[in-house]
Amino acid sequence: MVKFALQFKASLENLTRLRPHGEDFRWFLKLKCGNCGEVTDKWQYITLMDSVPLKGGRGSASMVQRCKLCSRENSIDILAASLHPYNAEDSETFKTIVEFECRGLEPVDFQPQAGFAAEGAETGTPFSEINLQEKDWTDYDEKAKESVGIYEVEHRFTKC
């Protein structure tokens, strides 16, 4: 069992506390089998709400799948306690926002989509349903009378 951290980097304009919103937030990943090296060709998503029992009564995971190439059963679990917001002071630096516990596979790519939330840095104005699929997002904070945005979104995975 290996842990992988998803590290996030972006340039935040007048925003803070960028985070996945809710237990139904979908983490879209591409996964690689640790046995044969096969990488999934389609994006697969997992959520905190998902819980699938592991074979042999060894607990549960967010997703259990069988490799299409070698038929090995692999699993990945979101570690809820590892979820951290990306704050204004983190802007333009890589920061771990979530960790995954993996058995027999590893995440190799992440596609941010809808479901992020953030707050105005000065006003606390809530912004929900932020979609980062285009790697950029902009809006306007009425309270502060200034534009807000998320730019140049990047990510990487590291072993914990």
Side-chain angles (χ1 to χ4, degrees):
M1 158 171 53
V2 180
K3 290 182 187 176
F4 289 92
L6 172 59
Q7 295 188 328
F8 184 88
K9 178 181 173 183
S11 177
L12 301 184
E13 177 189 16
N14 303 316
L15 285 174
T16 193
R17 290 192 38 77
L18 176 65
R19 64 204 178 277
H21 185 67
E23 289 192 357
D24 60 345
F25 179 84
R26 293 180 175 186
W27 297 94
F28 283 86
L29 304 169
K30 285 200 176 178
L31 305 166
K32 180 171 94 174
C33 177
N35 188 49
C36 69
E38 177 74 3
V39 176
T40 55
D41 53 346
K42 294 183 179 167
W43 292 102
Q44 298 177 300
Y45 73 83
I46 57 176
T47 72
L48 274 174
M49 295 187 334
D50 297 333
S51 182
V52 180
L54 294 171
K55 209 178 203 179
R58 297 176 296 165
S60 64
S62 299
M63 182 177 73
V64 177
Q65 72 172 25
R66 195 167 288 287
C67 177
K68 289 180 184 177
L69 193 64
C70 72
S71 299
R72 180 176 170 171
E73 186 174 276
N74 301 316
S75 66
I76 183 169
D77 198 28
I78 302 167
L79 301 175
S82 72
L83 288 165
H84 299 288
Y86 192 81
N87 297 310
E89 61 269 16
D90 303 318
S91 190
E92 300 183 27
T93 61
F94 278 103
K95 178 185 179 182
T96 297
I97 59 169
V98 66
E99 291 177 8
F100 302 100
E101 186 175 83
C102 302
R103 291 182 183 92
L105 54 75
E106 71 176 89
V108 292
D109 203 0
F110 166 64
Q111 184 180 49
Q113 295 199 5
F116 284 91
E119 298 168 4
E122 301 299 321
T123 62
T125 302
F127 294 92
S128 58
E129 286 309 307
I130 295 172
N131 188 332
L132 294 177
Q133 191 167 2
E134 301 297 323
K135 311 284 192 243
D136 287 320
W137 174 87
T138 57
D139 206 333
Y140 188 76
D141 187 338
E142 294 289 338
K143 287 183 190 172
K145 299 200 181 339
E146 60 189 9
S147 63
V148 294
I150 303 164
Y151 310 102
E152 301 167 7
V153 172
E154 296 178 48
H155 70 276
R156 68 184 181 197
F157 289 99
T158 60
K159 276 189 179 180
C160 298

